[in-house]
Amino acid sequence: MPNRLEKENFTYLQKHKDNPVDWWPWCDEALIKAEKENKAIFIFIGYSSCHLCNVMENNVFQNQECADILNNNFICIKVDREERPDIDKHFQEVHMLLNNRAGGWPTSIFCTPQNKPFFARTYIALESQTEGIEGMGFKELTKLIATKVQENDMQLFKNAEEVEDFLEKKKHPTQATVLNKDFVKNFMHQVKSNFQTKDGGFSVAPKFPHASTLNTLMLVDKLNDDKSAKAMLTQTLDAMKQGGFYDVVDGGFFRYATDSKWEVPHFEKTLYDNALLCETYANAYLTYNDTSYLEIAKEIADFWHTCMTQDKLMYSASGGEGLRKQKTYPSCDKKIQTSWSSMMIKSLFTLGQIDTKYTLRAQESLDALMKILYVDSQLYHTTLIHKSPKVGAFLEDYAYLGWALIHAYKCTKDEMYLIHAQRFANTALEEFYTSGAWNFSNGTFETTADIYDNTSISPVSIMVDLLLSLGTLLKDEKYTHFAFKTMEYNSYSLGRTPVHSPHMLGQMLRYLKGNTEIKSF
């Protein structure tokens, strides 16, 4: 018999509607029930194309013994991280705090009946692997936690209170550093230290594309005629497109390579990765006139247009092995997201500088996105086609959509795009900005926005990009001022570890040199 997830819209939650686990979606009713019945809360965060999320679902949550333990002793909540990045971000911070290392997906969180977290892991096997809590399997772990909660274990509840107190304390940079071009020297030193001279890229297996780093290397080469920057950039671009990590049959890049040579992919394609890489390869063609880069950019755009688009709106991801020519891709996540769609729309406008058919596609997609996710003067984060959106926009949505609108205006000279970009920037400043610092979300979870470029470019850096553009186009110094205050607030980190914030580094150079000398990527 289906559980409560049957009534949810999104693919990831729908996948688990037939689990024997009595799953709840994230909602106040579930949290109230946990406290009323004095049951621990188990929160599981994943997404539709996540391999280990699906492995854990098959091996653990389909197990009847596990389901009985959970149903009798816990309120179980399943979260799609792509639908609710605010919840995900909050609990990733919990994982970092409890384990002193970054988390990932799936994310397994255990909380008190009052929803205060005390234990966090990622993937957990069904049976115990080794002695100790780190190697404890799901069955043994849930039995232990259930017992401790029922016995009101004082240490467990004390730990939960300490975690809650620590999370509520806001952290601010200890000092500011004068913005200067010497940050680039530090960036190049750090990139060279990470660069893999044999295979390209900036890490051993698993290898991720790091589009933001590649873009900034391109910028450094354009500004300084830096041969080492160009060499690291082009070697990586060439290595990534050879096949394996790149889908030479259908076009588009997979999420990452599981080996050091970019040959063995993790079979998952996400919109944000492909959007950013489409932009990178298009700009590489415009910079170096290498037609192979243009072919890659066009193939990415054409793949998403042919296989991952409906009614001019772009799906967020597809996963699973055996991805080959067919109209509907396997394990296709059909959610439409403002931020990720905006990334690809911006890339299409860049391609439109070379082939005008992409400008038309970009305009059609942008107009369709605005129609479905900007409703009654309210911007939303995500929805499905023919469904009403429910989750309000986060900082990333305002930032990336504003970014795309600026490029729409530059390409078409349609002032409505500029008006919308200004409107979204103003709303973002009102809702998320305080004295140089930015929140990612407000409301249920007030989370701080990262300045680091991780799976995609930091929304803070994109906001700086957007504000600098508005300052120039509107000749309004207040936008430039807010951009500067943001960079100043983060200057200590930017100066010490610019390799973690390459896009903000590029915006710093843009600010220092002036828009007449440097164009934004």
Side-chain angles (χ1 to χ4, degrees):
M1 182 176 179
N3 55 46
R4 292 174 183 83
L5 299 184
E6 182 184 29
K7 296 180 181 179
E8 296 300 305
N9 292 329
F10 291 109
T11 302
Y12 178 63
L13 301 184
Q14 276 287 318
K15 276 185 174 182
H16 302 88
K17 66 182 180 181
D18 294 317
N19 283 175
V21 176
D22 186 18
W23 290 111
W24 289 77
W26 182 272
C27 61
D28 290 341
E29 186 182 354
L31 303 179
I32 292 169
K33 183 177 175 65
E35 186 165 17
K36 182 178 179 180
E37 297 182 2
N38 195 38
K39 287 186 175 180
I41 299 171
F42 171 57
I43 301 169
F44 188 78
I45 306 172
Y47 58 102
S48 63
S49 55
C50 165
H51 174 65
L52 284 178
C53 302
N54 295 325
V55 169
M56 195 163 169
E57 191 261 332
N58 291 327
N59 294 350
V60 177
F61 303 135
Q62 295 283 9
N63 181 279
Q64 190 61 54
E65 184 181 354
C66 273
D68 290 341
I69 297 169
L70 289 172
N71 294 341
N72 292 331
N73 301 284
F74 295 83
I75 297 297
C76 301
I77 300 174
K78 188 169 285 285
V79 176
D80 181 342
R81 80 170 184 100
E82 296 172 357
E83 179 190 8
R84 293 298 303 267
D86 56 329
I87 297 174
D88 175 59
K89 194 173 189 314
H90 173 78
F91 286 112
Q92 294 302 327
E93 292 175 6
V94 168
H95 186 284
M96 173 65 81
L97 177 61
L98 289 172
N99 297 282
N100 200 31
R101 63 176 183 271
W105 301 279
T107 309
S108 304
I109 305 288
F110 292 90
C111 304
T112 67
Q114 295 74 35
N115 196 29
K116 296 181 179 181
F118 58 84
F119 188 82
R121 292 262 290 275
T122 53
Y123 175 84
I124 305 175
L126 179 66
E127 303 288 352
S128 298
Q129 308 294 307
T130 59
E131 292 186 2
I133 198 158
E134 281 297 317
M136 192 175 289
F138 196 86
K139 287 194 294 187
E140 187 178 356
L141 179 64
T142 48
K143 287 177 183 177
L144 175 64
I145 289 174
T147 299
K148 285 185 174 293
V149 170
Q150 290 164 5
E151 294 175 349
N152 285 319
D153 183 277
M154 294 301 295
Q155 189 60 48
L156 183 150
F157 284 90
K158 181 184 176 183
N159 291 345
E161 289 290 343
E162 290 174 352
V163 169
E164 191 79 1
D165 290 343
F166 190 88
L167 290 171
E168 289 178 354
K169 294 176 182 175
K170 287 249 182 184
K171 304 183 192 71
H172 298 281
T174 55
Q175 63 189 84
T177 302
V178 176
L179 302 174
N180 67 82
K181 292 183 286 187
D182 287 344
F183 289 8
V184 175
K185 295 178 182 178
N186 204 10
F187 170 76
M188 289 300 294
H189 173 73
Q190 291 169 0
V191 172
K192 287 175 182 177
S193 296
N194 293 334
F195 183 66
Q196 304 297 301
T197 55
K198 182 180 179 183
D199 302 306
F202 308 97
S203 66
V204 295
K207 292 177 81 79
F208 290 84
H210 297 284
S212 182
T213 301
L214 297 172
N215 292 336
T216 305
L217 286 172
M218 200 183 316
L219 177 60
V220 170
D221 181 34
K222 290 175 72 173
L223 290 175
N224 303 328
D225 191 24
D226 191 312
K227 291 182 173 55
S228 62
K230 180 180 179 180
M232 288 187 286
L233 167 68
T234 55
Q235 183 180 345
T236 301
L237 291 176
D238 292 341
M240 290 195 304
K241 68 183 176 67
Q242 294 305 313
F245 175 59
Y246 182 71
D247 187 346
V248 296
V249 176
D250 289 339
F253 285 93
F254 295 107
R255 180 72 188 88
Y256 60 87
T258 61
D259 68 324
S260 61
K261 297 181 179 180
W262 305 100
E263 292 177 350
V264 184
H266 175 71
F267 287 98
E268 169 193 1
K269 289 181 181 177
T270 55
L271 178 54
Y272 62 88
D273 278 321
N274 279 278
L276 294 175
L277 287 169
C278 179
E279 175 88 359
T280 300
Y281 277 90
N283 279 321
Y285 166 74
L286 291 169
T287 303
Y288 302 115
N289 200 33
D290 185 329
T291 56
S292 71
Y293 296 154
L294 177 59
E295 290 171 5
I296 295 294
K298 285 186 172 183
E299 287 173 6
I300 295 171
D302 292 346
F303 163 74
W304 227 270
H305 178 73
T306 302
C307 299
M308 298 289 291
T309 297
Q310 179 184 344
D311 297 346
K312 314 300 182 186
L313 295 162
M314 292 175 275
Y315 298 152
S316 64
S318 64
E321 297 190 34
L323 299 168
R324 284 298 171 251
K325 293 260 183 218
Q326 47 191 299
K327 186 64 178 176
T328 302
Y329 257 49
S331 301
C332 184
D333 191 328
K334 296 184 177 182
K335 73 166 64 73
I336 311 300
Q337 290 188 234
T338 299
S339 55
W340 296 4
S341 297
S342 298
M343 295 179 201
M344 183 62 88
I345 289 166
K346 198 259 188 181
S347 298
L348 293 175
F349 278 119
T350 300
L351 274 176
Q353 299 174 43
I354 306 159
D355 186 336
T356 56
K357 78 177 182 182
Y358 293 103
T359 300
L360 178 60
R361 281 189 199 172
Q363 286 182 271
E364 291 176 339
S365 292
L366 180 53
D367 294 345
L369 186 70
M370 291 282 287
K371 184 175 180 179
I372 195 174
L373 282 163
Y374 184 54
V375 182
D376 296 332
S377 300
Q378 171 70 50
L379 185 64
Y380 291 88
H381 172 62
T382 185
T383 191
L384 294 173
I385 297 174
H386 309 309
K387 296 284 186 179
S388 298
K390 297 178 181 179
V391 180
F394 304 106
L395 177 64
E396 66 176 22
D397 301 303
Y398 288 99
Y400 276 103
L401 180 54
W403 197 43
L405 286 161
I406 287 292
H407 288 270
Y409 168 70
K410 289 179 178 179
C411 290
T412 67
K413 304 307 178 187
D414 183 339
E415 291 189 350
M416 282 306 301
Y417 290 134
L418 182 58
I419 291 169
H420 281 307
Q422 183 182 16
R423 177 182 293 122
F424 292 138
N426 289 343
T427 303
L429 285 165
E430 291 170 7
E431 292 192 8
F432 301 106
Y433 176 86
T434 306
S435 303
W438 291 85
N439 276 351
F440 178 86
S441 61
N442 296 317
T444 305
F445 292 107
E446 184 178 298
T447 59
T448 302
D450 292 326
I451 67 163
Y452 300 137
D453 298 346
N454 294 317
T455 53
S456 60
I457 302 172
S458 156
V460 178
S461 297
I462 298 296
M463 279 304 307
V464 172
D465 192 331
L466 171 59
L467 293 169
L468 289 175
S469 294
L470 288 171
T472 300
L473 293 169
L474 299 174
K475 296 181 173 55
D476 190 334
E477 285 297 317
K478 74 170 177 285
Y479 294 110
T480 305
H481 169 76
F482 287 128
F484 167 72
K485 294 301 290 184
T486 300
M487 291 186 287
E488 181 185 53
Y489 181 85
N490 295 291
S491 59
Y492 183 69
S493 176
L494 182 62
R496 291 185 66 198
T497 55
V499 72
H500 293 155
S501 305
H503 193 79
M504 187 174 287
L505 178 67
Q507 298 313 302
M508 183 205 72
L509 292 173
R510 178 185 179 190
Y511 173 79
L512 293 176
K513 287 180 172 290
N515 284 316
T516 56
E517 295 184 46
I518 174 174
K519 293 182 179 179
S520 167
F521 280 133

